[in-house]
């Protein structure tokens, strides 16, 4: 039942493979760079969003005590401990993920060696989700069985869907997260350095609102949604900041007035 | 070149398929539940680790001012704004991820319709990474071309490697993260409620060290590493907390002594 190879197939793997292989390689590169860039952007977004909400909410809460000094001290302490915890935390998380990957790969190696029928059935199961029966998937299984390393790689990618984080890239991604946190947190804190309370709180709220809206909008544009979704995303981001700041303000004010005199 | 179907193949898809299909389904279920559980655990770990480091570091920093009241107010404000920002942030991030998925799927639908040769070449490219040439992958391509929806699903899973977050599960995962943050942050804050400064700071450091070590160890065991790696993981987690707390303490002390009198 050998049918004629399709045009693309002949192009890619037989005659004039140079052009298409070049194109493929470029595509693979582009995909890799794009996914790395996506991850960096994602990390920066997470860091910036957290920075924009937590230090802002904390300083807004502390401002109810009425001392700029306390606000600035608390804000700076939170800014740096948050950035360090987030950046270092993200880096160490990917180190752990890497270890986890290696443990699972070892396990998969043993499985492929000791229970080949189970693994084979799993491959048929994977392909069955895409409407491909065993009679069509068998050629893939056969070619995988010819190379243990590629077999395990296939199962890691398609069955377990695990990725092994690159150590250097993980460092870069963690740095992007930590710095974005610092930047995002610093912006709504600036008014407290420049103006006395309670004016500084109002300006800080204004600055946070504008920054959150712009950020929410840019985030939506970067992730490729429509204009309407972009506005909704901005409002959503604003809501997180507002909710956190309101709760923080309420708790500090409540606790502060409930047990007076000890300060 | 039709070869005889293998034993497993016959078992799974022809004769006695009941047993193996049951086994397959159970495997698929087990894999799904396991990956969901993995994500919940991962989120709880992230939340708990962040909670254990940031509020601890902030309260340690604020304790240099010498007022239990400021420490408790700052700590509570950070605890709740951090938990809200983290939980809500994680939830909204997965809403955005869901939208991103839908945008990419739309795009892929158009690509499959308008540039079928390019997509076909991409599939051959994917399989070539696993040592499977086009002559073996062609049967897969043919079966995918018979169903546009499954074709797109295949490309989303295997080319773009994107997943569409489940809304309800995203909520659960975000809740796990926020609550773990609250719990992790509350533990090293308890001494400040019970004991005056500076004793409370020392006890808080002790409590944080013990909790971080236990947490680091449990984290390593859950993610399945060796005893030796588990100890290393605990020390690493401790280092984040110590670094954040030290920087926070230094900054509050430095800024506080540099500009006196304004409090």
């Amino acid at each position: 039942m050998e049918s004629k190879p399709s045009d693309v197939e002949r192009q890619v793997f037989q005659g004039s493979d140079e052009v298409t292989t070049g194109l493929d390689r470029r595509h693979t590169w582009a995909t890799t760079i794009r996914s790395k860039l996506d991850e960096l952007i994602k990390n920066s977004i997470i860091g910036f969003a957290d920075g924009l909400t937590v230090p802002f909410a904390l300083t807004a809460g502390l401002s109810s005590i009425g001392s700029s000094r306390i606000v600035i001290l608390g804000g700076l302490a939170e800014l740096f401990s948050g950035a360090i915890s987030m950046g270092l935390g993200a880096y160490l998380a990917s180190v752990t993920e890497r270890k986890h990957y290696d443990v699972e790969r070892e396990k998969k190696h043993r499985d492929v060696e000791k229970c080949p029928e189970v693994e084979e059935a799993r491959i048929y199961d994977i392909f069955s989700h895409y409407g491909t029966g065993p009679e069509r998937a068998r050629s893939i299984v056969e070619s995988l069985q010819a190379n243990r390393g590629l077999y395990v790689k296939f199962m890691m990618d398609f069955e377990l869907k695990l990725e092994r984080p690159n150590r250097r890239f993980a460092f870069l991604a963690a740095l992007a997260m930590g710095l974005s946190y610092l930047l995002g947190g610093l912006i709504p804190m600036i008014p407290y350095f420049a103006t006395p309370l309670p004016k500084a709180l109002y300006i800080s709220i204004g600055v946070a609102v504008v920054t959150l809206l712009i950020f929410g909008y840019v985030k939506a544009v970067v992730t490729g949604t429509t204009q309407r979704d972009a506005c909704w995303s901005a409002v959503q981001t604003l809501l997180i900041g507002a909710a956190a700041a309101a709760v923080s303000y309420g708790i500090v004010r409540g606790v502060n007035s409930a047990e007076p005199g000890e300060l």
Side-chain angles (χ1 to χ4, degrees), chain A residues 113-131:
Chain A
E113 198 182 319
K114 290 186 184 158
C115 327
E117 324 78 39
V118 175
E119 296 303 315
E120 203 179 321
R122 280 177 185 174
I123 296 181
Y124 289 134
D125 183 53
I126 291 170
F127 282 109
S128 73
H129 293 318
Y130 303 94

Side-chain angles (χ1 to χ4, degrees), chain A residues 62-68 71 197 256:
Chain A
L62 289 178
S63 75
S64 80
I65 299 175
S67 156
S68 287
V71 173
L197 281 171
N256 199 27

Side-chain angles (χ1 to χ4, degrees), chain A residues 32-238:
Chain A
T32 308
I33 288 177
R34 206 187 145 189
S35 81
K36 293 276 178 209
L37 207 63
D38 273 355
E39 212 180 315
L40 275 188
I41 290 171
K42 200 181 158 191
N43 276 15
S44 303
I45 285 176
I46 293 171
F48 194 81
D50 223 38
L52 256 174
T53 47
V54 183
F56 161 67
L58 176 82
T59 48
L62 289 178
S63 75
S64 80
I65 299 175
S67 156
S68 287
R69 190 177 192 83
I70 297 289
V71 173
I72 288 173
L73 289 176
L76 287 178
E78 145 65 36
L79 210 56
F80 284 90
S81 37
I84 290 172
S85 163
M86 218 176 183
L88 251 180
Y91 177 69
L92 294 181
S94 65
V95 171
T96 304
E97 209 178 312
R98 203 177 148 100
K99 271 183 196 157
H100 179 63
Y101 183 95
D102 292 344
V103 170
E104 291 293 329
R105 186 170 53 187
E106 269 306 300
K107 224 186 271 174
K108 188 51 79 183
H109 250 294
R110 282 197 302 273
D111 287 352
V112 167
E113 198 182 319
K114 290 186 184 158
C115 327
E117 324 78 39
V118 175
E119 296 303 315
E120 203 179 321
R122 280 177 185 174
I123 296 181
Y124 289 134
D125 183 53
I126 291 170
F127 282 109
S128 73
H129 293 318
Y130 303 94
T132 302
E135 72 290 343
R136 284 176 185 275
R138 194 158 32 84
S139 59
I140 304 283
V141 172
E142 278 165 4
S143 87
L144 287 176
Q145 282 166 341
N147 185 323
R148 174 77 53 88
L150 293 174
Y151 194 162
V152 171
K153 188 168 171 254
F154 182 88
M155 298 309 273
M156 295 304 287
D157 288 351
F158 293 160
E159 191 211 3
L160 301 176
K161 296 185 179 175
L162 289 176
E163 232 173 302
R164 191 166 192 261
N166 176 288
R167 208 179 286 252
R168 241 184 264 177
F169 180 74
F171 182 78
L172 202 67
L175 199 69
M177 200 183 242
L179 290 179
S180 306
Y181 186 93
L182 267 187
L183 183 68
L186 204 58
I187 294 170
M189 257 188 74
I190 294 169
Y192 295 105
F193 290 103
T195 322
L197 281 171
K199 210 179 145 193
L201 171 65
Y202 306 141
I203 301 180
S204 176
I205 292 175
V207 167
V209 168
V210 171
T211 316
L212 280 166
L213 285 174
I214 294 173
F215 166 71
Y217 183 80
V218 170
K219 186 178 85 175
V221 170
V222 166
T223 52
T225 42
T226 63
Q227 202 83 350
R228 197 166 151 272
D229 285 336
C231 293
W232 176 227
S233 161
V235 171
Q236 274 187 328
T237 312
L238 180 60

